[in-house]
Every structure is written in structure tokens, then in C-alpha cells.
Amino acid sequence: MAQKFRTLIGDWSTGTGPLYRRLAASIAAAIERGVVPVGERMPSERAFAEELAVSRRTVVAAYALLKSEGWLASREGSGTRTQRPASDGDVFHMPSDDGDAVLYSKLIGDKRGIIDLTLAALPASPLIFDTLSQSGDDIAALMARYHGYLPLGLPELRESIAGDFMRRGLPTHADDVLVTTGSQQAITLTARLLARPGDAIAVENPTNPGALDAFHQGRFDLVPLDVDSDGIAIDRLQERLTRRHPQLLYVTSSFHNPTGAVLSLPRRRALLEICARLHVPIIDDLAMVDFSLGDSLPPPLAKLDTNGIVITVGSADKLFWGGLRIGWARAPRSLIVRIGRLKSANDLGSSLISQLLTSKLLPLAERAKTLRSKELGASFARAARGLRELLPSWKWEQPRGGLSLWIELPWGNAEQFSQIALRHGVNVVPGSAFSVDGRHTQHLRLSCVAPAGEIDEGIRRLALAWETYQRAHASASYARPVI
């Protein structure tokens, strides 16, 4: 329960004022927005304090403040539960002091000087601006030509995507491609088509949290598959798949999120052989494939696939700009038609203007990758230097690609540490957010795409937070009960 509430209230410690006021304001904001339902039982003070890595008196004071303001009520036998304060017409009153100003700042998205090292997404590529400025006449022609609804995607873009696969050595026709609203939709639609609620889906552990969200939303039973530096561990794969009978397997074969691993060629072949034998389709997520840090890649899974079991998903959002919201799925044509029917029922088709722009950008992909490679090489070097100098006890390996570092703390709990880091003005993602079964609590992911100054300052703040965490741990370790 405490972990769920921590997730619901989000970045509660941002802003100014005493910690208990920040916590109270964030809980009130969550109740006001409906994120925390009225009548919900609050976690115990002790459990919530442990989850938030604060003293118990901070939670006690926050609960007391919320009770005085009418957001919480305690009743004998039912614990402390949420409610809405009685006010004139139940009108929301804006906060009036610095402590409660967090409530307002959360509603408008004000991060109050927080350095965010959680988001693995780059700013817009400079290639977009030139392409957009030259596309006015083409946009006008597009609007005159189409009524606006193309569930399978703009023909010109499907041709461009097929051409991009061809450049990667994977023969592809436009009819093998479906355009989606980001790769997340491609994953969601494919899972909904091939599995029903309660069915098993096998996933890497850790894995992309966006895919986890999609699978949890579909109410699927997730089968965790261990990952090492060469990708999915194959030794027990057949036994696990035979025992659980998944309807689908999800993998990031190139530059795994969050570890940056690449599935080795022998493991690619073994994975395809096992899944073909057991009739398990594979979603291969190539959203990170363009972010190599120098290594060449094995052939795509779909190129090695002789049984038509691989559905490849990708995106223009990572390479060019997240605001495009354009992704795709490549699969046998009969399957593309079925996914397309599901997409049509879902949204009637993705934005045609974004699709047109993406169709012009994809032929510039190699140029875009060169520009991104220079940015990322410098960012990773800067992050590595800062970590070695200021946090030498932290363990990590240089990834082969991707946008982040997967870090193992020498001890402790990354969820608790992330709360302390946030109070020092830097936001990182604990490893449990990437886990199917709650493991990886000693890991965190550090995004390396922030501006240079923010990476330097973010790591400096992490080092200060780590000192605080170590002191708190030492104090707790030496504490002894009085007998």
C-alpha cells in the first residue's frame, strides 16, 4: 500500500518549505485530482515513512495537517481515510503559503529547479525545422488529397518505412507496414490482438516501462525472463516458456532499455528456434536501434526469422522528436491487416501531418544518427567522468548503445535513495520501475541526454544525496532499543 501511494503522489518533495507540508500538499493534490479516490485507506505512518525515506514524525505531521484541513479523517476500526474538505460548493482553493504552494506548482507542472535525469528522450533534431519549413505546399496538397482517415497509414510514409528497413538489410514492402501513434501503440495493439486478459506474455526483466504499462493495462500475466550483457538468458528459456505457455514474447534485441545490452547472434538464433517450435510470436522493439555507441549490430531478428513469427516495432520519436508521435509495426501482411482493423477501431489513424513530415525525415536518418552520435558520445563521457570522480562505489558498465546508464548501488534500496535524491534536487528512476516482479531494487537508471551542465550538476547532487543516505543508514544501523 505504501509503495502504491508513493507512486500516486509523484514528486512530492519538490518545492520549498518543511517536508511535512510538501508531503501534505502533494497528497491533497492527488485527492483533488481524483488520483487517490475519496474513502481510500492511507498507509500506516511507519510504513509510509519507510517507503518515502523520511522520519516517522514527518508523516505524522503531514497527516495531522491534512486532518486539520479536512483531507483525511480517522475512524475507529477503519484507519485513516481520504475525504474532500467541506467548503463553499466544494470549490478548490489555491494555496496561500510557500509550503502549500507545491499543490499549485504540481498542477501547472513547475519542477522548481529539479534536474530531471529520468527521461530517455532527446530534444527535437535540427533536421525537423528545415523539413517543416519546406513542407507548406505538401501539407496543403495532403489536405486536399485525403479526407484525413488512413488507418494503415499514409502511403508515402509506409514506403519510407519500408525503404528504411531495406537499408538495414531487411526486405520489406509497404504492405508489410502499419503506421501507429508511437511505438507504444504498436506494442499495445499487437498484444491486444494476440493475447486476451489473463493470458501469459513473456518479457525481459528488467524491461521498457512503457511496455510494462501496456501489458499491465491489458491485464496480462507477465513471465519474467532474465537478462545479462548478451540479452535474454537462453539456458532456461524453453523450460519456462513450455511451463507458462505465453501467447507472446516481448524483447528489445538492440540496445535494451534500460541496460543497453545487445542480444547476441547465437542467442537470436536460439530464441527464434525455441519460439518457432513452441509457436510463440515475438515483438522485437527497435525503438533504440539508432543509438549505437560504436558497435555494429547482428542482423535484425526479422531477417533471421524463417517462420514469420517476428513483429518488429519502431519509431521516429527517439531519433527525430517525441512530439511526432509516429511509430510502426512490420509483420506478415495478413497480420498487419488484422492489427490495422484494431487500430481503426481505436483511433481511425494517426496524424497525417506528422506522418507526412516523418516520410520526409526518414531518408535523412543516417545524417540524424551522425548528429545524435556526437551528442551522445559527449554526454556519456561526461556522465562517466562524473560518476567515477564523485560516486566511485557505484557499479555500471559502458552500454553498447541507448540513452542511459544502468547503475547498481553498492547497497541499499534505490526507491528510498531516489526520494532523498529528489530532496537534493535531482530526479532518477529506481530499478523497480523496470521490473516485472519487483526485483532490481538496488539499481537505478540514469538518463544521459540532459544538457552538459545539468549532467554535471545532477551527478554532484546525487553524490550529496548518497552522502545523506549513507549517514541515515549508519544512524539506523547503530540505533539499539532501550531495554
Side-chain angles (χ1 to χ4, degrees):
M1 179 188 289
Q3 183 180 24
K4 180 186 81 170
F5 264 82
R6 178 182 60 77
T7 303
L8 292 175
I9 64 175
D11 297 345
W12 68 273
S13 62
T14 57
T16 58
L19 277 180
Y20 80 92
R21 281 190 170 274
R22 300 186 217 174
L23 178 58
S26 296
I27 293 171
I31 299 170
E32 176 67 31
R33 298 196 311 272
V35 174
V36 173
V38 170
E40 188 81 0
R41 185 169 184 161
M42 294 295 294
S44 71
E45 294 155 353
R46 186 182 300 279
F48 209 19
E50 183 176 339
E51 183 64 31
L52 298 176
V54 298
S55 68
R56 185 179 177 187
R57 64 178 176 270
T58 297
V59 179
V60 170
Y63 280 15
L65 178 60
L66 289 165
K67 289 174 186 176
S68 71
E69 294 178 345
W71 293 102
L72 296 181
S74 295
R75 297 179 181 85
E76 188 175 351
S78 63
T80 300
R81 294 185 180 270
T82 61
Q83 63 181 21
R84 284 180 176 271
S87 62
D88 299 335
D90 202 22
V91 175
F92 175 63
H93 294 284
M94 278 300 174
S96 57
D97 62 31
D98 273 348
D100 293 338
V102 178
L103 178 60
Y104 178 67
S105 68
K106 287 175 74 68
L107 295 178
I108 64 173
D110 179 9
K111 290 297 183 182
R112 298 280 180 119
I114 296 293
I115 292 177
D116 190 354
L117 299 181
T118 65
L119 188 61
L122 291 157
S125 166
L127 297 176
I128 284 187
F129 304 108
D130 290 341
T131 304
L132 185 58
S133 66
Q134 298 166 9
S135 299
D137 291 342
D138 293 325
I139 291 173
L142 177 78
M143 297 169 95
R145 182 179 176 189
Y146 294 110
H147 48 58
Y149 303 105
L150 293 173
L152 293 179
L154 186 69
E156 295 95 310
L157 177 55
R158 297 174 75 197
E159 290 283 356
S160 289
I161 295 168
D164 190 61
F165 277 118
M166 293 284 282
R167 286 187 289 274
R168 299 177 192 274
L170 185 55
T172 306
H173 189 275
D175 290 343
D176 304 326
V177 173
L178 167 73
V179 178
T180 58
T181 304
S183 59
Q184 179 85 352
Q185 188 185 52
I187 296 166
T188 302
L189 292 176
T190 303
R192 283 177 55 195
L193 180 69
L194 298 179
R196 291 180 292 185
D199 284 346
I201 291 181
V203 298
E204 297 159 310
N205 191 28
T207 193
N208 167 20
L212 282 181
D213 287 344
F215 299 145
H216 286 315
Q217 189 178 53
R219 304 196 304 279
F220 302 119
D221 179 22
L222 301 185
V223 181
L225 305 174
D226 292 338
V227 175
D228 60 27
S229 58
D230 284 328
I232 288 178
I234 297 295
D235 51 354
R236 293 183 56 215
L237 179 63
Q238 180 163 326
E239 179 267 330
R240 185 162 294 185
L241 297 186
T242 301
R243 180 160 45 88
R244 298 294 298 275
H245 304 291
Q247 301 300 304
L248 183 65
L249 186 149
Y250 171 82
V251 60
T252 307
S253 63
S254 296
F255 311 137
H256 172 259
N257 181 12
T259 68
V262 174
L263 187 63
S264 67
L265 181 56
R267 291 193 184 185
R268 289 179 189 232
R269 289 183 170 137
L271 176 67
L272 288 167
E273 180 184 346
I274 292 169
C275 287
R277 188 185 312 126
L278 299 177
H279 307 289
V280 179
I282 300 171
I283 293 180
D284 185 18
D285 187 349
L286 296 186
M288 291 287 185
V289 73
D290 295 317
F291 301 109
S292 172
L293 292 175
D295 277 357
S296 58
L297 291 172
L301 277 178
K303 186 174 183 180
L304 302 171
D305 175 25
T306 58
N307 296 284
I309 62 170
V310 174
I311 302 100
T312 305
V313 303
S315 171
D317 295 351
K318 295 291 186 184
L319 183 60
F320 293 107
W321 182 43
L324 287 171
R325 305 306 309 130
I326 295 297
W328 49 79
R330 177 201 178 274
R333 295 178 194 184
S334 58
L335 186 57
I336 286 296
V337 170
R338 293 170 63 200
I339 302 174
R341 289 196 191 112
L342 195 57
K343 176 173 171 60
S344 180
N346 190 70
D347 65 8
L348 297 178
S350 304
S351 163
L352 290 191
I353 294 177
S354 285
Q355 290 188 61
L356 176 67
L357 187 57
T358 304
S359 72
K360 294 175 175 295
L361 288 167
L362 280 181
L364 306 176
E366 289 303 318
R367 186 177 164 196
K369 282 190 278 186
T370 299
L371 294 172
R372 294 300 199 193
S373 177
K374 292 178 181 177
E375 295 176 52
L376 288 172
S379 295
F380 273 99
R382 184 174 291 273
R385 185 167 57 250
L387 289 169
R388 291 190 184 106
E389 290 176 0
L390 300 177
L391 291 159
S393 65
W394 287 15
K395 299 176 184 178
W396 52 275
E397 294 183 4
Q398 179 71 25
R400 296 178 64 180
L403 300 173
S404 56
L405 293 174
W406 182 240
I407 295 171
E408 183 180 3
L409 303 179
W411 51 266
N413 183 295
E415 290 182 0
Q416 295 176 353
F417 171 69
S418 69
Q419 294 292 317
I420 291 176
L422 195 58
R423 297 201 288 275
H424 281 75
V426 59
N427 199 4
V428 291
V429 190
S432 56
F434 303 87
S435 178
V436 178
D437 53 7
R439 281 190 285 166
H440 307 294
T441 56
Q442 209 167 309
H443 286 80
L444 58 86
R445 189 187 75 173
L446 185 73
S447 172
C448 293
V449 300
E454 291 190 12
I455 291 177
D456 290 342
E457 177 62 15
I459 292 175
R460 187 189 72 81
R461 294 182 187 185
L462 284 174
L464 293 174
W466 184 244
E467 290 178 9
T468 301
Y469 186 56
Q470 290 182 102
R471 285 197 301 270
H473 184 270
S475 298
S477 298
Y478 284 115
R480 293 290 185 270
V482 176
I483 300 175

